[in-house]
Amino acid sequence: MNCAKNAPLPPKLTPNLGLKSRNTFGLEVNAERAFEISDPAQLPALFKEINEKHWSWRVLGGGSNVILPPNLDGATLLMNIMGQEVIREDEGNTYLAVGAGVNWHDLVAWTLHKQLLGLENLALIPGTVGAAPIQNIGAYGVEITQYIDGVEVFDSKTNTFITFSNEDCQFAYRDSFFKRNPNRFIVIKVIFKLPKAWQARVHYADLANFFSEISNSKPSAQEIFDAVCQIRTKKLPDPKVIGNAGSFFQNPVLGEDQYEQLLQKFPNVVSYPDADGQCKLAAGWLIDQCGFKGQRVGEVGVYEKQALVIVNHGNATAADILSLAKTIQDSVQEKFGVTLDIEPNIL
Ligand code: EPU
């Protein structure tokens, strides 16, 4: 009997694919060769070809945290590995395995529907599950590291599959081992660990205000989910209406001394204290104070309701975006002596 496993179909290849609708900035981008990856087993043969032909390559998930150049040569991998299931349970936790191509917000909604609680604060974050661990997505007092048990990846260097434990991922604020070691690992599946004991987290100012205004001191997970959706919809521009990549800069983290000095000069600086004595500044406030909110320079601008977001007014290019970003960085540096780091990945 022949027990050999059927080889997967090769990934679907589209030459010269336009990516305007696949990056939330809405930039005009041509991908020389777009490969749709629907099965991890397609990766070893594809990477054999990529290496033999010396193609450059990159992976695109939801395209919500990238700044793409007009032309992507070589191979562009469109991540489409689907599937979400409960794989096991122990006394304290439920474990889920989720394909990298699953839409993040759909996963959050699905978990709540299944009474698996914990991800509600992270509702409406754009992008895919595979992208979530790369920058350790976070919002409203929760970061995804708290719920990741492990990450399954394809290692393009050794052509093998490996599993990273949460510790191996070296998660930090908007950062991970994967982000610091780009162009090697491809996330194929994320294993989530959701504790059965649930507690509401509504300490973050926007959420706390929301529930105090409606006098709800014990919101359910579903109510938190709905509140986060409302707050985000009000504050952040919808990429379908105006191109953007969410927060364009990270909130800078200062040591105690530097923070004290800044506070002397600017007593109303908006900041969040950190557990280890450091202080995270609200980049949006710094940019707002420099007068950029609502400003437009040609095809790009700073969103009128949130200075942390750069928007594409129609026909912007990566160069336009980066040029405005540099102007903002220089201005914040000059006024506050603080360096702003760009959050999305620049390809
Ligand atoms: N502020 C201003 N002017 C502005 C914007 C902000 O003065 O134009 C001040 C306000 O006082 C506000 C404070 O800055 O209270 C903080 O602003 P906000 O809550 O709007 O943003 P944030 O807390 O710095 C972070 C994440 C968001 C996430 C929210 C909610 C970063 C870089 N951004 O923003 O993430 O949704 O918290 O938790 O950490 C994203 O990554 O794309 C993103 C949207």
Side-chain angles (χ1 to χ4, degrees):
M1 197 166 70
N2 183 359
C3 291
K5 238 175 129 186
N6 287 338
L9 288 174
K12 183 174 167 245
L13 165 62
T14 311
N16 293 316
L17 181 68
L19 298 180
K20 191 176 170 73
S21 64
R22 289 176 187 252
N23 74 103
T24 61
F25 252 125
L27 304 178
E28 295 278 3
V29 177
N30 177 63
E32 193 185 5
R33 294 175 200 85
F35 292 95
E36 193 173 314
I37 306 299
S38 54
D39 182 342
Q42 294 168 327
L43 292 170
L46 177 60
F47 270 86
K48 207 167 156 266
E49 187 178 5
I50 287 175
N51 291 332
E52 276 167 13
K53 296 185 174 154
H54 303 288
W55 288 338
S56 64
W57 63 274
R58 77 287 309 162
V59 179
L60 202 58
S64 59
N65 206 46
V66 283
I67 305 165
L68 302 174
N71 281 299
L72 288 171
D73 58 11
T76 299
L77 280 56
L78 307 176
M79 180 47 68
N80 199 24
I81 298 173
M82 305 308 280
Q84 53 201 37
E85 54 173 343
V86 173
I87 47 168
R88 67 192 163 93
E89 270 185 62
D90 57 25
E91 215 174 296
N93 303 288
T94 306
Y95 297 81
L96 308 176
V98 187
V102 171
N103 173 274
W104 173 261
H105 177 74
D106 291 349
L107 172 70
V108 177
W110 180 80
T111 54
L112 285 187
H113 179 69
K114 296 259 173 205
Q115 287 303 310
L116 300 166
L117 313 181
L119 302 182
E120 57 280 350
N121 292 48
L122 304 176
L124 227 53
I125 293 184
T128 51
V129 166
I134 312 260
Q135 60 147 348
N136 182 21
I137 59 169
Y140 305 103
V142 174
E143 284 185 348
I144 197 54
T145 172
Q146 293 161 248
Y147 296 102
I148 289 184
D149 189 52
V151 178
E152 293 183 19
V153 303
F154 174 73
D155 182 351
S156 67
K157 199 166 169 186
T158 57
N159 236 14
T160 54
F161 292 94
I162 38 181
T163 301
F164 279 68
S165 69
N166 179 300
E167 206 186 359
D168 296 336
C169 296
Q170 297 173 17
F171 290 120
Y173 167 62
R174 290 294 198 277
D175 198 21
S176 71
F177 177 81
F178 307 117
K179 193 163 169 179
R180 290 192 295 278
N181 294 275
N183 291 323
R184 176 162 175 189
F185 302 102
I186 297 174
V187 176
I188 55 168
K189 199 186 269 184
V190 179
I191 312 298
F192 294 97
K193 176 180 173 180
L194 301 181
K196 290 178 180 174
W198 177 81
Q199 236 188 339
R201 279 122 339 140
V202 290
H203 56 281
Y204 198 89
D206 280 347
L207 266 186
N209 294 340
F210 183 96
F211 287 112
S212 85
E213 270 168 30
I214 57 167
S215 304
N216 182 349
S217 60
K218 278 201 175 332
S220 66
Q222 184 65 46
E223 286 171 327
I224 295 173
F225 174 90
D226 293 339
V228 168
C229 289
Q230 269 191 51
I231 296 168
R232 288 189 74 100
T233 309
K234 235 189 243 164
K235 250 184 150 163
L236 297 167
D238 179 354
K240 288 190 196 100
V241 180
I242 184 157
N244 74 91
S247 299
F248 193 86
F249 297 100
Q250 295 184 16
N251 285 331
V253 178
L254 301 191
E256 216 169 330
D257 291 351
Q258 200 190 353
Y259 176 65
E260 285 303 326
Q261 280 173 21
L262 194 71
L263 200 58
Q264 302 241 316
K265 263 178 99 182
F266 302 96
N268 41 6
V269 63
V270 179
S271 62
Y272 320 91
D274 213 310
D276 41 5
Q278 297 197 306
C279 219
K280 208 186 272 170
L281 303 184
W285 183 86
L286 299 172
I287 298 165
D288 197 354
Q289 294 297 304
C290 293
F292 285 106
K293 200 180 202 164
Q295 292 290 318
R296 177 171 178 167
V297 186
E299 294 295 315
V300 284
V302 174
Y303 189 50
E304 63 203 5
K305 293 190 215 156
Q306 164 59 292
L308 196 49
V309 179
I310 290 187
V311 293
N312 173 7
H313 284 293
N315 295 307
T317 62
D320 297 331
I321 294 170
L322 295 175
S323 154
L324 175 60
K326 174 86 170 61
T327 308
I328 294 172
Q329 285 169 317
D330 289 349
S331 178
V332 167
Q333 185 76 51
E334 195 183 313
K335 186 170 170 95
F336 296 102
V338 171
T339 305
L340 289 184
D341 288 330
I342 292 178
E343 201 204 74
N345 299 332
I346 304 165
L347 294 189

